[in-house]
Amino acid sequence: PGEESEPVLSYKEIFISIAAELPSYVFAFSVIENKNFGRKQSLFLSFGLAAFSCLAAHLFRDSGFMYAVFFAKFFANSAFEFIYPFTSELYPTNCRATGLGFASAASRIGGIMMPWIIVFTLDINATAPFIVFGIACLAAAALVAMLPYDTAGKELDGHHHHTEEQHKKKDEIELRDNEK
């Protein structure tokens, strides 16, 4: 008596919260190339709505917890789907693979840390991880908002579209340099 009740989920509720992944792929696919959204705004909205849903999961422990978890998973997964093409297009072509690899490595470090964050915050209460991840998503949304431009519909820097003539010129210059 007097203590807060911790949410207890059934297998059905867990399945419903995990099932958010499939529609998030459809959502991401349909929105990423939409001229009204673009990559930056799609990513910003996904992180923002994931943050809102995580914080709602903490607040609505009984009645709306399962729905908040569903939408948190939906928008977090959508953000993940938006971030890869957007991140790779932010880098110049000559270092795009390296930049994306570095960003991917950073995300893997986050993936390694996530279970430990959950373990440590579960000692506070069952919904404390949602506060931590909600704050992280809110910070990510703020950082995305500060990015200078959107890459949707923009031509990339063109380094990957060398013509045959440009390759020949480059080869000739390298050959001359080697002869000297």
Side-chain angles (χ1 to χ4, degrees):
E3 288 187 26
E4 292 182 36
S5 65
E6 300 294 333
V8 177
L9 297 177
S10 69
Y11 289 112
K12 177 185 168 190
E13 291 169 323
I14 292 171
F15 175 78
I16 290 170
S17 68
I18 292 172
E21 284 197 31
L22 296 176
S24 73
Y25 293 129
V26 174
F27 171 75
F29 180 74
S30 64
V31 171
I32 195 164
E33 296 295 336
N34 186 316
K35 292 177 185 172
N36 296 324
F37 288 101
R39 286 151 174 63
K40 180 180 173 182
Q41 188 171 346
S42 298
L43 189 57
F44 172 77
L45 289 172
S46 290
F47 275 132
L49 292 170
F52 175 79
S53 299
C54 283
L55 297 174
H58 174 71
L59 295 174
F60 304 118
R61 295 178 181 192
D62 295 325
S63 60
F65 181 78
M66 180 183 65
Y67 300 108
V69 171
F70 176 89
F71 285 109
K73 179 73 173 163
F74 178 91
F75 288 115
N77 196 59
S78 295
F80 190 75
E81 295 302 317
F82 293 134
I83 206 164
Y84 269 92
F86 186 47
T87 301
S88 68
E89 292 170 355
L90 288 173
Y91 291 104
T93 301
N94 61 350
C95 66
R96 185 165 294 135
T98 303
L100 185 59
F102 180 77
S104 179
S107 76
R108 300 296 179 215
I109 292 168
I112 291 168
M113 292 172 43
M114 186 212 41
W116 294 103
I117 292 169
I118 291 172
V119 166
F120 291 125
T121 56
L122 278 175
D123 288 340
I124 299 167
N125 72 41
T127 59
F130 290 100
I131 295 172
V132 173
F133 294 130
I135 291 169
C137 286
L138 200 58
L143 290 171
V144 168
M146 289 191 280
L147 290 172
Y149 58 90
D150 191 353
T151 60
K154 302 244 182 350
E155 190 167 323
L156 300 178
D157 58 13
H159 291 288
H160 63 296
H161 293 298
H162 291 299
T163 63
E164 189 70 32
E165 187 176 314
Q166 288 172 323
H167 282 293
K168 283 181 184 177
K169 274 187 176 179
K170 182 180 174 190
D171 291 343
E172 288 173 12
I173 292 171
E174 287 177 1
L175 195 63
R176 273 186 270 150
D177 288 346
N178 289 337
E179 289 175 357
K180 292 180 181 178

